Amino acid sequence: MNKYQAVIIGFGKAGKTLATTLAKAGWRVAIIEQSKSMYGGTCINIGCIPTKTLVHEAQLHKDFSSAMQRKTDVVKFLRNKNFHNLADMDNIDVIDGRAEFVDSNTILIHQSNGALKIVGEKIFINTGAQTVLPPISGLTTTPGVYDSTGILDLDFLPTHLGILGGGYIGVEFASMFANFGSKVTIFEAAPLFLPREDRDIADAIANILSEQGVDIILNANVNSINRKDDKIQVHMTHGSQDVDILLVASGRKPAIEQLQLQNAGVAVNENGAIIVDKHLHTTVDNIWAMGDVTGGPQFTYISLDDFRIVKDELLGDGKRSTDLRQNIPYSVFMTPPLSRIGMTEEQAVASGAEIEIATLPVAAIPRARVMNDTRGILKVIVDRKTRYILGASLLCIESHEIINIIKIVMDAKLPFTVLRDQIFTHPSMSESLNDLFSLIK
C-alpha cells in the first residue's frame, strides 16, 4: 500500500498550490482527481477562465463559434500546464480516480481498471462544488437543459436562451449570450432582482440587461419543464414561455456526496458543507478542507487564501487564519462588470453608523467616454465620524480592477481622503475615485 505524507483530494486552486509547495519542502504528496478534464480545478476548466474568455470575446463582437474555439484553446492550454506543473515533480503522484474514505488515514480510489488504496499521514479535501438542481418536474429528463458546465460546450448560438435563476451566475451568462446576439429570458423565483445589492444598483443592472435584450421575470415559480417540437416549454404558476435551450443557474453546493466522509468521522453542517475551524481543520485532527467544499465564498482567491492558512500551519508559524480575512471583494462579469466590497447602504444603516453616501454616474468619467461605454454608476458609503470606507458598489467598465484599490485602503484602515487626493494616471478609470470621494464632505 502506498503511503504519503500528504494526500490531497481534488485538483483545485488550494490543493494544487499546496501540493507543489509541500513537494518543494521535501514531502511525498499524492493528489487525486476523478476527471482528467478537471486538472487545475473548477476555475480553469468550467468556471472563471472559460466564462470570462467568452465574456471578452462577446464584448469584441466575435462570432459564437470562434469564441467557443478560443475558449477551448485557452482551457486546454491551462489544463495541460497545470497537470505538468504537478505531474513532472519527483515528489508528487497525480492519481486519476474517484476517492472515498475508508478511515481517517486510508483512501480508496476507484479507477477504470480497478481500485487502489493509499494511506495519508495528513489529508486535504479540495473537491469544490457542484450545480444545485431544484426539484422541478422534467428538469433532469428534458433534452436541451444545461447547467453552467454543460453550456460551455454548446456548439450553436441559441436564438432564445432561458435561464433558471437570476443570481450572479445567471446574470453573467445572460449578459454574455445577449452580447453574442441571443434573446435571453431570466426566470427568477424571488420577488426582488439581486436582493443582496442596493436597489439603485440592482435597478441599474436590470436596465443595462434590458438594453442588451434580456427579459427578467420575477416571481417566476417554475413548476415543470417539457420539450415540444424543437422548443423547451417553461411552465410557471402564472403562464408559460418557450425557449430554445434552458440554463439552470440556481446555485452550487459542496461536492461531498461520494467521499464517504462518515467513514473518517468528518462532520458536515446542515447545508452539506464540511465543518472547519479557523485553521481549516475538520472535526478530525489530521484532515483539512479547503475551497468551496467548506461552504464559504466560492471564489478562487478564497481558495488561494485557504492554501496560505494551511501552508502557514505546516511550514510556518501558524498565525494565519480565517479570522484575518476582511473586506472580501467580488465581481460579476456582466458587461459592464459589477464589483462590490463591504457593506451595502442597507447594511450600513442597520449597523448604526453615521454614514454619508456618494454616487457618480459613469457618464461623468472621461476614460469611460474614451472607451465608449458610459453605462453604470459608482457608489461608496463612508463612516462620517471615522472617515473610513464602509462599502463600495462599482458598476462600470474595469470595475474589477478598481475595487482592489478600494480594498487596500479599507484593509489598511486609511481614511477615504487617501483616494480623494491620490495622484492617478489620466485618462484612467481609477482616477474616477478622485471625483467620487470629492462628493463627500
Side-chain angles (χ1 to χ4, degrees), residues 65-345:
S65 295
S66 65
M68 292 295 280
Q69 184 57 56
R70 181 166 181 271
K71 176 271 302 179
T72 299
D73 292 343
V74 170
V75 169
K76 284 184 176 179
F77 172 82
L78 292 174
R79 181 188 300 152
N80 183 65
K81 179 182 178 182
N82 273 264
F83 172 75
H84 285 288
N85 281 346
L86 273 67
D88 293 349
M89 293 189 71
D90 292 337
N91 289 12
I92 299 179
D93 290 338
V94 177
I95 304 174
D96 297 320
R98 179 178 64 79
E100 66 178 48
F101 282 92
V102 176
D103 55 43
S104 60
N105 289 103
T106 310
I107 302 294
L108 178 66
I109 305 169
H110 297 274
Q111 300 179 302
S112 58
N113 58 349
L116 170 69
K117 275 187 180 181
I118 65 173
V119 171
E121 178 183 335
K122 295 177 171 60
I123 298 176
F124 307 87
I125 305 169
N126 185 220
T127 49
Q130 62 191 39
T131 299
V132 173
L133 295 176
I136 295 174
S137 176
L139 191 66
T140 60
T141 57
T142 301
V145 176
Y146 299 83
D147 63 10
S148 59
T149 299
I151 202 169
L152 291 173
D153 292 323
L154 203 64
D155 58 4
F156 68 96
L157 179 66
T159 302
H160 189 179
L161 169 66
I163 299 179
L164 189 62
Y168 300 127
I169 294 174
V171 165
E172 283 192 1
F173 275 100
S175 180
M176 176 208 306
F177 273 91
N179 280 335
F180 277 125
S182 297
K183 174 179 171 53
V184 180
T185 300
I186 294 175
F187 303 96
E188 172 53 57
L192 283 178
F193 178 58
L194 296 177
R196 287 175 53 188
E197 307 300 330
D198 285 330
R199 287 304 86 204
D200 53 350
I201 300 298
D203 290 345
I205 292 171
N207 289 335
I208 289 172
L209 290 173
S210 178
E211 291 171 358
Q212 292 176 330
V214 178
D215 292 332
I216 302 171
I217 302 177
L218 300 176
N219 295 304
N221 296 307
V222 177
N223 48 51
S224 67
I225 306 289
N226 69 274
R227 192 168 189 89
K228 183 176 182 181
D229 299 326
D230 60 344
K231 299 291 184 181
I232 293 176
Q233 296 184 319
V234 180
H235 300 284
M236 297 165 281
T237 304
H238 304 289
S240 63
Q241 188 163 146
D242 292 352
V243 297
D244 294 317
I245 68 171
L246 182 69
L247 167 64
V248 181
S250 49
R252 293 173 67 80
K253 64 180 180 180
I256 63 167
E257 292 175 357
Q258 296 180 311
L259 289 173
Q260 303 298 328
L261 294 173
Q262 69 279 1
N263 293 341
V266 174
V268 300
N269 65 20
E270 65 277 8
N271 297 316
I274 296 177
I275 297 171
V276 294
D277 63 17
K278 65 182 181 180
H279 295 287
L280 303 175
H281 282 270
T282 68
T283 50
V284 180
D285 286 343
N286 69 304
I287 302 176
W288 290 253
M290 309 176 296
D292 298 351
V293 77
T294 67
Q298 294 181 8
F299 303 129
T300 297
Y301 43 92
I302 295 298
S303 295
L304 179 60
D305 196 58
D306 283 354
F307 150 74
R308 295 184 185 118
I309 291 170
V310 174
K311 172 193 172 185
D312 190 50
E313 178 179 353
L314 300 178
L315 303 176
D317 56 18
K319 292 182 179 179
R320 287 191 76 102
S321 75
T322 55
D323 288 346
L324 297 178
R325 286 182 188 155
Q326 55 183 328
N327 304 316
I328 299 172
Y330 62 82
S331 293
V332 181
F333 283 85
M334 59 176 290
T335 304
L338 165 71
S339 299
R340 186 159 80 74
I341 189 169
M343 296 181 182
T344 62
E345 179 180 349

